[in-house]
């Protein structure tokens, strides 16, 4: 279920990047209620351990695996995150299974908070 449009479909993306995202991809999010319902169901099933990761726009950068996590409910303004950073986060969770367990987080690249769109657009 996790995709690079996750944060946008919760309408939690703010700033210049949020404006750009809505103007360029707004139609994609018009009927996402079934997916929202499935994600919400995770919270009500105590038998499932999960981490839902909402990624900003993805790109490749083998020299940058730093990331910042934004808890669900906070405004997301980061415009991008490297695939390598997402892989590092997943690896960190494998090494520490209780890290972000039963959480819904956005992952962004620190420093991309004030960008109007991803650097690769």
């Amino acid at each position: 279920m996790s995709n690079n449009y996750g944060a946008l479909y919760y309408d939690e993306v703010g700033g210049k990047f949020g404006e750009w995202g809505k103007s360029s991809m707004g139609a994609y999010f018009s009927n996402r209620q079934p997916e929202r319902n499935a994600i919400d169901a995770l919270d009500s099933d105590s038998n499932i351990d999960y981490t839902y990761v909402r990624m900003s726009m993805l790109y490749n950068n083998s020299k940058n695996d730093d990331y910042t996590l934004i808890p669900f409910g906070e405004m997301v303004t980061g415009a991008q995150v490297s695939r390598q950073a997402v892989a590092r986060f997943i690896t960190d969770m494998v090494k520490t299974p209780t890290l972000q367990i039963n959480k819904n987080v956005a992952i962004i690249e620190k420093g991309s908070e004030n960008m109007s769109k991803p650097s690769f657009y």
Side-chain angles (χ1 to χ4, degrees), residues 5-117:
Y5 306 118
L8 274 174
Y9 103 17
Y10 275 113
D11 197 25
E12 67 182 345
V13 180
K16 295 176 185 177
F17 175 56
E19 293 171 17
W20 175 82
K22 286 179 183 175
S23 69
S24 63
M25 293 177 271
Y28 177 80
F29 306 104
S30 61
N31 185 20
R32 307 312 277 185
Q33 195 58 46
E35 291 172 355
R36 289 182 184 120
N37 293 344
I39 294 163
D40 292 342
L42 291 173
D43 280 337
S44 64
D45 189 339
S46 62
N47 294 317
I48 297 175
D49 289 333
Y50 69 92
T51 302
Y52 185 70
V53 183
R54 302 175 330 278
M55 294 166 247
S56 194
M57 300 295 285
L58 295 168
Y59 75 109
N60 290 323
N61 184 342
S62 62
K63 296 181 181 181
N64 185 1
D65 67 354
D66 290 334
Y67 61 85
T68 297
L69 298 178
I70 310 295
F72 182 72
E74 291 186 21
M75 190 61 59
V76 178
T77 57
Q80 63 189 35
V81 65
S82 72
R83 287 177 175 87
Q84 291 77 7
V86 174
R88 180 175 152 223
F89 174 55
I90 300 301
T91 301
D92 291 347
M93 287 193 304
V94 169
K95 289 179 179 178
T96 308
T98 58
L99 182 69
Q100 300 299 325
I101 195 163
N102 297 330
K103 302 285 183 182
N104 183 334
V105 296
I107 183 170
I108 66 166
E109 177 179 304
K110 188 172 184 150
S112 71
E113 294 91 337
N114 296 315
M115 297 171 68
S116 60
K117 60 183 178 180

